[in-house]
Amino acid sequence: MSKATNQIPGEWARLEMSERAGAVRFSVHVRPRSSRCSILGVREGALDVALTAPPAEGAANEELRKLLSRVLEVRRADVNILVGASSRSKLLEINGTSSTTVRELFSRAKR
């Protein structure tokens, strides 16, 4: 797996993450009401994500959890918004994964 780590583009190395007790934490910047739902890259150390849902009644948060659970191959219940539920900037915790796995899966998912 060390070869895969060396092949991860430099952009994903800029994603600031912390690991604790089988979970990974990182910041996310959300762009609601976009034309498509996708991983855009890294912006100022945070994951940049476009969502089609509006930021009303938790629709964007639910779409974010659905997107990240699919990309990171975890259950939706393993994607938790710790801070920023009503903000474009959020702190997320993903259970059952590692920072190396997260970076690798994000590099594959970017469009």
Side-chain angles (χ1 to χ4, degrees):
M1 186 141 180
S2 62
K3 287 184 180 180
T5 303
N6 293 335
Q7 295 173 357
I8 294 174
E11 173 181 25
W12 300 106
R14 294 192 326 257
L15 180 59
E16 297 173 7
M17 286 193 265
S18 63
E19 287 189 63
R20 48 176 29 169
V24 176
R25 289 184 178 186
F26 55 89
S27 295
V28 176
H29 182 268
V30 175
R31 297 182 189 192
R33 292 191 181 118
S34 295
S35 60
R36 64 183 177 145
C37 186
S38 64
I39 305 292
L40 301 174
V42 178
R43 175 182 170 186
E44 297 176 5
L47 180 68
D48 199 12
V49 178
L51 302 173
T52 58
E57 299 176 15
N61 287 339
E62 190 55 34
E63 188 172 65
L64 175 64
R65 292 178 68 220
K66 183 178 177 181
L67 172 67
L68 292 181
S69 67
R70 182 176 44 83
V71 168
L72 298 175
E73 302 170 355
V74 297
R75 297 176 308 139
R76 198 175 305 177
D78 290 330
V79 179
N80 301 302
I81 299 172
L82 302 177
V83 178
S86 62
S87 171
R88 289 178 184 229
S89 297
K90 304 175 185 304
L91 176 64
L92 269 63
E93 181 176 73
I94 313 297
N95 295 314
T97 191
S98 69
S99 59
T100 303
T101 302
V102 168
R103 283 187 172 94
E104 185 176 328
L105 292 172
F106 281 155
S107 69
R108 290 185 203 165
K110 183 182 175 186
R111 296 181 185 171

